[in-house]
Amino acid sequence: MIMTMLGKAREGVAPLMKVVRLKGMCILEQLHLEERLLRTSSDNWCLVNDGTTSPAIVMGLSGKLSELVEAKSVLRDHIPVIRRFTGGGTVIVDNGTIFVTLICNKDAVPNVQPFPRPIMSWSGLLYDKVFARIADFNLRENDYAFGDRKFGGNAQSITKNRWIHHTSFLWDYEVKNMSYLKLPAKVPKYRLTRGHTDFICRMKEHMPRSEFIERTIKAVGDEFSVSPVSLESINIDSASEYVHTTKLLTEHEIREASVLQT
């Protein structure tokens, strides 16, 4: 039954999906763009950002800084911390991270109910195509994993008529950067008691970076009528008036968290 969720959500004409390919866009700018597109656009969007300019920590909307981040280390090394507009967990991203974002109208994928679990299941089937015959890909709770090791973290937001599902893919990572993240109190069951580096893996051990991006866009094209567009062509006239939920945390906020950790 679940297989009907993919495979031409299109009994008639395939819904249009605008695809924007980015290279090294600052993650804060990317999140601001995503939030505007979700809330002010009526189009379907796929954004693929190949890496981001410099390391940054990105937290979910309701995450508590003192419980998720080693605040003293972050202050010492001047690592920016961002609270994004979607839920989900905390990640550290850099040039080794590939970001894929899907923003859809609810009627664009008619067999998927606009709730977290159905959207997650649908996305798992989409990436089944991307990783077909590549590795032991599976959807583990809310993560993408090869076997029992995570390489993709997901977050979502659902509005009245639209939803966003975005993923940070670990094509590569710096081991030292993982030390900025605390082990959260709530973890997926399949993680058990594993630390960060025993729990995650690198995509580069399984496929080239460019191949992953091309396979992802092809999989999206199997479900939608894809229209490539440039960043410059996106109409963001309302950008100056739009107030973002996504925020860069201040040094004062990080210092407050460090006090709670002493």
Side-chain angles (χ1 to χ4, degrees):
M1 178 178 177
I2 195 171
M3 291 305 294
T4 63
M5 293 168 62
L6 272 190
K8 323 290 185 197
R10 12 150 113 131
E11 306 263 318
V13 179
L16 180 67
M17 173 73 80
K18 294 184 176 181
V19 176
V20 186
R21 298 182 65 156
L22 306 164
K23 178 73 174 179
M25 187 180 208
C26 166
I27 187 59
L28 181 61
E29 291 180 19
Q30 179 189 328
L31 288 165
H32 282 172
L33 174 62
E34 291 177 8
E35 191 172 358
R36 285 203 305 275
L37 292 177
L38 174 68
R39 304 195 191 282
T40 67
S41 170
S42 59
D43 295 319
N44 302 306
W45 296 88
C46 173
L47 278 60
V48 181
N49 183 18
D50 187 5
T52 190
T53 48
S54 57
I57 292 170
V58 184
M59 301 171 50
L61 183 62
S62 60
K64 294 184 178 180
L65 182 61
S66 61
E67 297 176 1
L68 297 170
V69 172
E70 296 290 355
K72 290 181 180 178
S73 299
V74 165
L75 283 168
R76 180 194 66 214
D77 297 337
H78 307 288
I79 305 296
V81 181
I82 299 163
R83 187 184 301 281
R84 65 176 179 266
F85 68 100
T86 57
T90 303
V91 293
I92 183 162
V93 300
D94 58 19
N95 188 53
T97 312
I98 303 173
F99 307 90
V100 180
T101 300
L102 297 165
I103 303 172
C104 294
N105 292 314
K106 289 182 179 178
D107 59 0
V109 193
N111 293 319
V112 176
Q113 293 296 310
F115 299 102
R117 192 177 298 275
I119 295 170
M120 194 76 241
S121 297
W122 174 81
S123 76
L125 294 174
L126 185 77
Y127 285 106
D128 265 336
K129 293 184 176 183
V130 176
F131 297 109
R133 298 180 298 280
I134 294 293
D136 180 22
F137 169 76
N138 53 90
L139 175 61
R140 301 293 299 264
E141 299 178 50
N142 293 320
D143 300 332
Y144 301 142
F146 291 137
D148 65 351
R149 302 190 73 175
K150 173 181 176 178
F151 68 91
N154 300 287
Q156 299 173 351
S157 181
I158 301 169
T159 67
K160 182 180 178 181
N161 297 309
R162 290 161 65 75
W163 52 260
I164 181 172
H165 174 89
H166 53 188
T167 307
S168 300
F169 288 97
L170 291 174
W171 189 79
D172 197 7
Y173 66 87
E174 296 283 346
V175 172
K176 64 180 178 62
N177 285 347
M178 295 300 147
S179 65
Y180 295 118
L181 305 181
K182 297 174 71 70
L183 186 66
K186 185 178 180 181
V187 298
K189 290 181 180 178
Y190 80 99
R191 179 169 183 161
L192 303 175
T193 58
R194 289 180 290 171
H196 294 304
T197 55
D198 290 327
F199 175 53
I200 59 177
C201 65
R202 295 176 171 89
M203 287 175 60
K204 73 175 185 178
E205 298 171 359
H206 300 279
M207 66 193 308
R209 192 168 185 148
S210 59
E211 181 181 353
F212 165 69
I213 292 172
E214 295 305 324
R215 279 175 170 253
T216 297
I217 293 173
K218 182 179 184 302
V220 171
D222 288 343
E223 302 304 315
F224 299 88
S225 177
V226 166
S227 174
V229 299
S230 67
L231 177 63
E232 293 74 22
S233 70
I234 298 176
N235 183 358
I236 51 175
D237 290 340
S238 60
S240 59
E241 296 86 20
Y242 187 77
V243 178
H244 299 98
T245 307
T246 298
K247 300 290 185 184
L248 179 66
L249 299 191
T250 65
E251 181 177 331
H252 176 70
E253 288 174 298
I254 300 173
R255 288 195 181 282
E256 285 187 328
S258 72
V259 170
L260 294 175
Q261 292 175 348
T262 57

